[in-house]
Amino acid sequence: MTPANLLDRLIIFDGVCNLCNTFVDFTIRQDPSHKLKFASNQSQAGREILQHFGVIEGSEEANTVYFLENGQLYEKSTAALRVARHLRFPWNLGIVFQIFPRFLRDSIYEFIARNRYKWFGKKSTCRLPGPEERALFVEKVDL
């Protein structure tokens, strides 16, 4: 896959976070045309892409959801809302929450993110896609 293809509609998520994996499963179900692709931030592809955009591995900022679309990196609540645009109705209406100021949306996002392991748990290993999902997950990237 070329970088141009990867940088369009790619979700980078925390592969050991139960909440994040639930988000990925939900997104796959609500994207029947499979326009969205995925990479965990623990995978080689996820780490390389984040590093390419200046996100430092192991930093607190690396522990958020990212969405790459048209070569632009979005994070936190903006990433989640931009993903919603690509989901089937009624979930695509979630984009209306962008009317709220980013600092407010990100404050709520960060509160949930800080508590996600406590509330939802954490896996000991990264999520592995099943055979039917494998094509949706990016394993290697040449940037």
Side-chain angles (χ1 to χ4, degrees):
M1 236 178 197
T2 65
N5 292 337
L6 289 177
L7 297 180
D8 194 36
R9 302 183 199 132
L10 176 68
I11 299 167
I12 302 174
F13 66 100
D14 181 352
V16 297
C17 169
N18 285 337
L19 177 61
C20 303
N21 282 293
T22 299
F23 171 70
V24 169
D25 291 339
F26 173 81
T27 302
I28 289 170
R29 285 193 312 274
Q30 298 304 320
D31 177 30
S33 62
H34 303 301
K35 296 177 286 187
L36 301 169
K37 302 295 182 216
F38 305 88
S40 75
N41 62 16
Q42 292 89 357
S43 70
Q44 180 180 346
R47 288 191 314 267
E48 287 178 9
I49 292 167
L50 291 178
Q51 184 179 32
H52 176 77
F53 283 93
V55 177
I56 300 167
E57 188 176 344
S59 68
E60 187 173 313
E61 70 177 359
N63 290 325
T64 188
V65 67
Y66 287 93
F67 185 55
L68 291 170
E69 186 175 35
N70 298 321
Q72 175 78 35
L73 180 70
Y74 301 95
E75 65 180 0
K76 300 180 184 179
S77 65
T78 303
L81 293 176
R82 291 193 71 89
V83 166
R85 290 178 44 217
H86 298 284
L87 303 180
R88 67 173 79 177
F89 182 82
W91 306 107
N92 58 356
L93 299 178
I95 196 66
V96 300
F97 289 103
Q98 273 194 294
I99 64 169
F100 295 103
R102 182 177 172 186
F103 78 90
L104 181 61
R105 290 185 283 116
D106 281 353
S107 294
I108 295 167
Y109 178 96
E110 290 166 0
F111 175 73
I112 295 168
R114 274 192 309 273
N115 293 290
R116 70 186 189 272
Y117 294 146
K118 181 171 47 172
W119 295 342
F120 301 100
K122 180 177 179 178
K123 296 180 182 301
S124 58
T125 60
C126 206
R127 178 190 205 283
L128 295 174
E132 67 284 347
E133 299 174 338
R134 197 160 286 137
L136 302 176
F137 285 77
V138 175
E139 295 176 20
K140 285 177 72 174
V141 61
D142 296 318
L143 294 175

